Amino acid sequence: HSTPMKLLKSYARAKNNAEGLKIINDLVSRRHNPEDAVSWNCVIDVLIRAKCHFSALRLYQRMMQVGRQPDSYTLSILVDGFTKAGEVDMAFRLLEILPQKGASPHVVTYTTLIDTLGKAGKISAALKLFQDMKSIGCDPNAHTYSVLINVLGLEGRWEEARGMFREMKNRNSINPDVHVHNSLMHVLGRAGEIDLAYVLFKEMKGKTLRPNVSTYNILVYALGKVGKVSDACEVFEDMKKKGVVPD
RNA sequence: AUGAGCUACGA
């Protein structure tokens, strides 16, 4: 609960790596360890965002040395950081090791991995992780389906993306949000399936989901792509009338 | 109190 640690937490939340690193350097030079798990995680998060992956790993080891257990956050932060840095092998090693130290994988851990692997073109690895998480009883959420729809769409697999959306709707624990609707609309629009995309748009409004700027950008693009210019203009006017602002 | 997903535009 020291003042520098409070500052570091707010820098971590604001993703202000430069200021965060200054504080970390200061704490390190005074041989001052974070106290609670949240503080350790914030330090590790700032180091990861600053691309100091191996410093982050050393901090994790130090955390263990002083008898502090890593948690799901620690695991997600490290796995996401190493995967995005292209260190996929290390990410999978952490995914094996940390659970033995008390850090269980969480839906966030899997979702970030699926996202990054899929965007790197490793779609079958991503789909396998999706099966893995379900088989250990880790329930996917709307974020998970959104990233799956995006990566399937990148491969042109829009029918499977639709299948994912349906699977999500069949889980009554999930409330499909604006993002996941946008993801599928974008995939359908790029595939030229404008009618299906438009149905989705109407579904959104029927569910009292508020279309955002991305929704309108996606729809205008999709309509333009199939030459429905006047429809595109209409949608654009609708957006202005609703006063949609960036969120 | 700390972690993940959509479009465009930037860099």
Side-chain angles (χ1 to χ4, degrees), chain A residues 156-174:
Chain A
R157 294 162 66 168
W158 64 270
E159 294 99 332
E160 288 162 89
R162 273 188 95 198
M164 286 292 177
F165 193 82
R166 259 185 247 114
E167 179 181 319
M168 172 185 66
K169 285 204 292 190
N170 288 335
R171 291 177 178 264
N172 24 36
S173 55
I174 299 182

Side-chain angles (χ1 to χ4, degrees), chain A residues 1 22 33 38 46 48 51 53 58-59 63 112 143 157 162 172-174 180 184 188 195-196 214 219 224:
Chain A
H1 39 207
K22 286 184 196 167
N33 282 328
V38 174
V46 168
I48 287 281
K51 305 206 187 305
H53 295 80
R58 279 196 295 277
L59 258 291
M63 179 180 186
T112 56
H143 283 238
R157 294 162 66 168
R162 273 188 95 198
N172 24 36
S173 55
I174 299 182
V180 71
L184 185 58
L188 293 172
D195 294 338
L196 293 175
S214 300
L219 208 54

Side-chain angles (χ1 to χ4, degrees), chain A residues 112-128:
Chain A
T112 56
L113 245 179
I114 290 169
D115 182 35
T116 313
L117 290 176
K119 282 175 181 159
K122 300 178 193 292
I123 181 102
S124 46
L127 292 173
K128 172 158 189 323

Side-chain angles (χ1 to χ4, degrees), chain A residues 134-198:
Chain A
K134 289 195 284 191
S135 70
I136 66 163
C138 179
D139 285 338
N141 62 17
H143 283 238
T144 318
Y145 284 101
S146 180
V147 311
L148 283 162
I149 288 165
N150 294 333
V151 304
L152 286 166
L154 287 175
E155 302 276 314
R157 294 162 66 168
W158 64 270
E159 294 99 332
E160 288 162 89
R162 273 188 95 198
M164 286 292 177
F165 193 82
R166 259 185 247 114
E167 179 181 319
M168 172 185 66
K169 285 204 292 190
N170 288 335
R171 291 177 178 264
N172 24 36
S173 55
I174 299 182
N175 275 329
D177 62 9
V178 173
H179 276 112
V180 71
H181 281 82
N182 286 352
S183 293
L184 185 58
M185 271 179 54
H186 189 218
V187 168
L188 293 172
R190 288 199 326 189
E193 296 290 335
I194 185 64
D195 294 338
L196 293 175
Y198 203 76

